[in-house]
Amino acid sequence: MKLTREPAARPSPPPPLEANDQVVIWVGTAGWAIALVVLLIIRDSLPADQRWWIWTCACGVAFGIFASWYVPRLKRGRAQAAARRAAREDGEETGQSAPRDSGSNTVSSTETPGRSTRS
């Protein structure tokens, strides 16, 4: 008699949710900006060892502004890379030549991971 059951097949994960990146970035940046304004207003009543929160909020605002510039460029670059990969898989020419055999018998460090090519 066998008392163990076969493990159930795992369901496939749901597709990732898409969000408007710019809205998310600007809402987060606005939150940091509001916190910065509040901390600047109550700055004199903050204990000296808690004033680092002001700089934390200032950094949050700065990173939010940077992210609003960087994220669209990152997504555009990833989309272009995916398009190049898809074109390469479809057999289209990418303008790059095939690797050439140099005739060298030297083993590259990438061919033997963890080993040096020096004798």
Side-chain angles (χ1 to χ4, degrees):
M1 179 179 342
K2 190 174 185 180
L3 296 177
T4 60
R5 292 183 359 192
E6 294 293 322
R10 294 181 87 179
S12 63
L17 297 174
E18 287 294 322
N20 185 344
D21 296 329
Q22 289 297 310
V23 171
V24 173
I25 290 168
W26 284 112
V27 166
T29 304
W32 282 114
I34 291 168
L36 177 63
V37 169
V38 168
L39 287 174
L40 288 174
I41 291 171
I42 65 167
R43 172 182 44 211
D44 293 333
S45 64
L46 282 175
D49 63 337
Q50 294 295 314
R51 291 191 182 149
W52 59 270
W53 279 106
I54 294 171
W55 291 107
T56 302
C57 293
C59 289
V61 170
F63 282 133
I65 292 169
F66 173 75
S68 70
W69 170 82
Y70 180 73
V71 169
R73 282 154 186 79
L74 175 71
K75 290 185 88 165
R76 191 170 33 250
R78 286 182 176 175
Q80 289 171 351
R84 283 192 302 267
R85 272 193 308 272
R88 200 172 21 232
E89 288 173 0
D90 290 341
E92 293 181 11
E93 189 63 32
T94 60
Q96 296 179 350
S97 62
R100 298 183 198 140
D101 183 19
S102 65
S104 172
N105 292 330
T106 305
V107 177
S108 129
S109 62
T110 58
E111 293 173 11
T112 54
R115 301 190 130 189
S116 173
T117 57
R118 295 183 184 168
S119 302

